[in-house]
Amino acid sequence: MLDCKQKFKCLLIIAVLVISSCKKENTSNNSRLKLLTKKYDEVYFLTTHNAMNNTEKGYSIPNQTHSITSQLKNGVRGLMIDTYDGTDGNALTYHGTSALGKEKLVDVLQEVKDFLLTNTNEVITIIFQNDGSNIQLEKAIDSIGLNSMTSIHNNGEAWPILQTMVDSK
């Protein structure tokens, strides 16, 4: 078992946090079934850059039009999120400068968790550009219980099959 420092070192090396859902749903969609039989690295995921920096949340110069919740509902399965240390000990998300808009990371991650609890057969990738401390990043993940829904891939290991990721949570 990796300790906290090792776990986030692995996370930052590949900059990927893979979040999978809690349980498998039945589906008759053949293309969906085909995807679930593929390894994670054999599937393309629609990903948004600076996903948190959006018009719906009131950012001044947004990269995205829609909130993370709306992006996920519209098929996005990869989120690139910039994180920084907050002065109160809670990680923040913003792009470049907080003066153009910011949000607590825990609020952004709660949107992801809420989506996964409703859509239990989904896999979402979060790529953190962590310009803060691993302590605040881990605190945000742990504080809402998202850590129980995560998988960390270590460089050099074989990627799992999507169905295995879904079933394991």
Side-chain angles (χ1 to χ4, degrees), residues 99-142:
L100 298 175
K102 64 183 176 188
E103 192 173 0
K104 288 183 180 178
L105 177 59
V106 71
D107 295 335
V108 170
L109 295 178
Q110 186 65 53
E111 287 185 72
V112 174
K113 181 179 178 183
D114 291 345
F115 177 82
L116 287 170
L117 291 172
T118 304
N119 300 276
T120 58
N121 208 25
E122 296 294 338
V123 174
I124 297 173
T125 300
I126 299 176
I127 303 170
F128 289 106
Q129 179 181 317
N130 185 21
D131 291 318
S133 69
N134 291 341
I135 293 168
Q136 288 195 16
L137 179 60
E138 181 180 21
K139 179 181 172 186
I141 293 167
D142 292 347

Side-chain angles (χ1 to χ4, degrees), residues 16 18 38-43 45 123 125 159-160 162 165:
V16 174
V18 179
K38 297 201 176 282
K39 289 184 180 180
Y40 175 82
D41 62 334
E42 297 173 339
V43 179
F45 297 92
V123 174
T125 300
W159 288 96
L162 291 182
M165 296 171 74

